[in-house]
Amino acid sequence: MLRGISYYLLFLILTLSGASTCSALDRDDFLRLRERMVESQIIDRGVNDPNVIKAMKKVPRHLFVPEKYRAFSYADQPLPIGEGQTISQPYIVAFMTEALRLDPGDRVLEIGTGSGYQAAILAELISEVYSIEIIEALSKRARETLDRLSYRNIYIKTGDGHKGWPQKAPFDAIIVTCAPEKIPRPLIEQLKEGGRMIVPVGRAGGVQKLVRAVKKGGGLDIRDVMLVRFVPMVMGDD
Ligand code: SAH
């Protein structure tokens, strides 16, 4: 609670001092905010995979957030990234990543590139990340951000994630960061036997069920994990 308040105090101070909320903070400030974010929002809430924790401490989340919201980059909430879309709350990113139980050699498909932040976290942990984003302006910006940070193992394409990426299948794990009403069949087909999938399932505008699934005997063994609220997975034109 106190930590939550301190973010608002920080914002208030920055606003009252008339400073641009971003330029008033330097790299070391962001590093401190990120360390604190990982301790209080991620470790204290039970995420304990050391590789996930290391990745969350390393990736500069503020560089994935539009300048006007940068002071809030490490706050316990999703933030707008333009085009009516959001970058997920840090805890949700860490939780979903841990739930995939990744190995360093894994190849993972993400649906909903958004800012590219989740893809960067994955790229710290595994060999190849494939990410699909339906809004071109976002996939372009994500590409630029990830290039600036020198990520070489993230492949992004603009398109409808309902179809998956058959040319690059099968995947060891699939993470969906927008909410479909039901899990698209091509994604099940493109998951390896024994592969893991994490996806928020449910209607647009409401609460969705975050489910974790493991592919067994060609089908999915599905467990509900928590209630979440994601932007909808929209249908493509073709
Ligand atoms: N993972 C992102 C946050 C995703 S927000 C990050 O780390 O920032 C969800 C994203 O899913 C939005 O950018 C939205 O445009 C995208 N999306 C919605 N429907 C989609 C679809 N059918 N295929 C691919 N992307 C989709």
Side-chain angles (χ1 to χ4, degrees), residues 134-152:
I134 203 161
I135 300 176
E136 191 171 19
L138 292 180
S139 60
K140 275 192 178 154
R141 200 191 314 138
R143 176 80 277 159
E144 284 164 17
T145 309
L146 293 165
D147 283 349
R148 216 174 310 133
L149 290 167
S150 303
Y151 282 101
R152 306 249 178 275

Side-chain angles (χ1 to χ4, degrees), residues 98-159:
E98 182 177 57
L100 294 176
R101 309 245 172 89
L102 299 168
D103 280 325
D106 283 352
R107 298 167 66 256
V108 174
L109 175 67
E110 177 193 27
I111 309 298
T113 315
S115 67
Y117 177 68
Q118 172 75 70
I121 295 290
L122 292 169
E124 293 288 338
L125 301 168
I126 55 158
S127 72
E128 287 170 24
V129 180
Y130 294 87
S131 187
I132 306 176
E133 169 56 54
I134 203 161
I135 300 176
E136 191 171 19
L138 292 180
S139 60
K140 275 192 178 154
R141 200 191 314 138
R143 176 80 277 159
E144 284 164 17
T145 309
L146 293 165
D147 283 349
R148 216 174 310 133
L149 290 167
S150 303
Y151 282 101
R152 306 249 178 275
N153 57 341
I154 302 173
Y155 305 89
I156 297 178
K157 84 169 179 181
T158 307

